[in-house]
Amino acid sequence: MKFSKFFSNLQEAPWYRDFLNPVINAIGNEGTLLDIGIGSGKLMQILATEKGIECIGVDTDAAMLAEAKMKLKNIDAKLVIIEPNKPLPFENKSFEYIAICSVLFHFKREDVDALLQDSLRLMKESGQIIILTPTGGGNMLKLSIHYFSKPHPLPYFLAAFLSSNSVMKLEKNSRTI
């Protein structure tokens, strides 16, 4: 089985929604979202159907975009294949929201910096960049209590521990980069 199909199936598990909720909750009910590293499209599927957000997703992996296309077949969303480490093909100040979920840990430091700078270029003045990435900063005791109090699969436990169940939001005037 291809990784793209495996990942698409993984994203349909109920615990994956819990993993994405900090990002979903950080996004309002209107505006345009750029999802960088869309994977198989679960975040866009949720935001388009539940919040009416206009979504554009980009990825470097054609197989992932094919999975996303199937997942988003009844949703008006745009999918774009991009080249790694190249500026994103959009006009300046195009998006209220830019989501970067579980992507940055794949990059070298200088490539992360370049992507974040390009994201700032694309973000509208009042926009936000929302990042969810494994940090290793989870609280093991708190997570263990949560994990063992409900039936969660092991991948949820690991994802939650690695990402500390929080998101980082960058705004235009933020000094956090």
Side-chain angles (χ1 to χ4, degrees), residues 49-109:
T49 57
E50 293 180 16
K51 294 193 173 199
I53 296 291
E54 179 184 341
C55 297
I56 298 174
V58 299
D59 208 301
T60 60
D61 187 328
M64 284 294 194
L65 286 173
E67 288 294 327
K69 186 175 182 179
M70 288 189 298
K71 194 170 285 187
L72 300 167
K73 65 183 172 192
N74 296 321
I75 294 171
D76 185 22
K78 183 177 178 184
L79 304 176
V80 178
I81 191 156
I82 58 170
E83 291 183 55
N85 304 318
K86 300 281 185 192
L88 295 166
F90 303 104
E91 293 184 25
N92 294 352
K93 299 180 182 175
S94 296
F95 302 98
E96 282 83 14
Y97 304 102
I98 298 174
I100 307 171
C101 299
S102 299
V103 172
L104 295 180
F105 67 95
H106 293 291
F107 287 56
K108 296 178 196 169
R109 175 61 193 213

